Amino acid sequence: MERPRHDDPAWAGPHRILARLEREPDHAVAERRFIARSADGDRTLLVRLPLPGADPARWAVEAEGARRLATPGFLPVEEVGGTEDLPWCATSYVPAVSLPAALRAHGGPLPDPTVRALATTLAGTLAMAHTRGVTHAGLSPASVLLTTEGPRLSCFGAVRAAAPDGERRSGLPGLDPGSLAPEQAAGGRPRPLGDVYALGAVLAHASTGHTVPESRELPGFLRVVIPACLSRDPARRPQAHEVLARLDPDIPGQAAAHPPTAPDTASPLPLPAAVVAALARQSAQVLAAELPSSTAALD
């Protein structure tokens, strides 16, 4: 976490901004993320706002859509608010670092046991969402938050928020080009197989440090899965439940067209010690943070 900048808002509704969740990420992220506290000091929250220059109306629609979801593994949205020009959404704070920040803390790609657990959990999360008719449409390394309660997917609907269907999205701010499926970059409607492409990019980043790896760089258990996910032809990509079956054949029912089960997305990951230390350090800093003396809130 780092101090707010001069152009960051001081308030999100009744919540006072304490700090940015992280320094400016190395990978594109579709939102600004802040740690905030209620004016009475009783609640600490993770607050998200659109990027400067983004269409706030489109972002607000996706934030409201996320609030209505009850999909395990997605970062929940408990509150939405703000103005037409500056919407925001918020959820209760738990210590969290983005996937790129976790690699920085660890000093390189994550260990194989961590990547394997992350791959299984994310594939299960997407498989469950897709069976419910939900497309994440915003998955990228920076959208994956590693928390003390397991990974959570933020940036829901980032592709839809960036531009309407039919309008090219390549090169737009807030979208990670390495995680954006070609059909979505060209303006196609976000669909589940676009999430699978992004999943391949996320797992490539976790295991190698970048989203377009060579096969020899990948751990053995991902050398078939990731190239399949990153196929430019969506018809050649596996569905999320098929990815899960390849990663963990012992999970029952995953080869079916509509998988009845998915892994427990609340299970903690076997995180490297340096990442655990980063989460603990952030938690201590948040506990020690004091509200600024000003109490004038924005709408």
Side-chain angles (χ1 to χ4, degrees):
M1 73 187 250
E2 69 169 20
R3 293 180 179 179
R5 301 177 184 178
H6 72 279
D7 55 345
D8 288 334
W11 293 83
H15 310 307
R16 183 72 193 228
I17 301 296
L18 296 178
R20 284 180 168 240
L21 179 67
E22 58 207 347
R23 71 188 193 195
E24 199 68 33
D26 293 333
H27 286 63
V29 61
E31 59 194 15
R32 293 178 289 168
R33 300 186 287 223
F34 300 94
I35 299 168
R37 188 165 292 148
S38 58
D40 59 12
D42 288 343
R43 298 182 64 208
T44 304
L45 303 104
L46 176 61
V47 171
R48 294 177 279 161
L49 294 88
L51 293 173
D55 183 343
R58 295 188 66 85
W59 188 92
V61 167
E62 297 303 328
E64 177 62 29
R67 188 182 68 82
R68 297 173 183 271
L69 292 176
T71 302
F74 283 27
L75 187 69
V77 172
E78 298 169 357
E79 299 179 44
V80 295
T83 64
E84 291 184 0
D85 295 330
L86 189 64
W88 55 267
C89 66
T91 189
S92 298
Y93 166 78
V94 295
V97 295
S98 68
L99 182 58
L103 267 68
R104 287 196 296 269
H106 181 59
L110 299 179
D112 284 1
T114 302
V115 175
R116 183 185 289 274
L118 180 66
T120 302
T121 303
L122 295 184
T125 293
L126 293 177
M128 182 177 293
H130 294 167
T131 60
R132 297 180 178 184
V134 175
T135 300
H136 183 276
L139 182 60
S140 71
S143 78
V144 178
L145 296 179
L146 304 184
T147 80
T148 53
E149 300 172 357
R152 295 291 180 268
L153 301 184
S154 64
C155 301
F156 173 78
V159 173
R160 293 185 292 263
D165 297 345
E167 183 175 319
R168 292 192 66 86
R169 301 183 179 98
S170 56
L172 294 181
L175 296 181
D176 181 352
S179 305
L180 188 60
E183 68 274 13
Q184 294 180 5
R189 179 182 177 185
R191 298 184 184 277
L193 289 174
D195 283 350
V196 171
Y197 184 95
L199 174 64
V202 166
L203 299 182
H205 180 81
S207 57
T208 71
H210 50 95
T211 56
V212 188
E214 296 183 15
S215 178
R216 60 181 174 79
E217 298 178 89
L218 297 170
F221 65 93
L222 291 176
R223 284 181 184 164
V224 174
V225 169
I226 286 180
C229 291
L230 292 177
S231 172
R232 296 189 63 82
D233 180 359
R236 298 179 65 87
R237 295 175 206 149
Q239 296 187 45
H241 67 85
E242 294 172 326
V243 174
L244 183 57
R246 295 179 187 183
L247 292 168
D248 192 344
D250 294 330
I251 297 177
Q254 298 303 333
H258 299 286
T261 61
D264 180 2
T265 55
S267 298
L269 295 176
L271 295 174
V275 178
V276 174
L279 290 168
R281 185 164 55 250
Q282 181 190 108
S283 180
Q285 291 171 338
V286 169
L287 287 172
E290 297 182 357
L291 284 172
S293 58
S294 173
T295 57
L298 300 177
D299 289 335

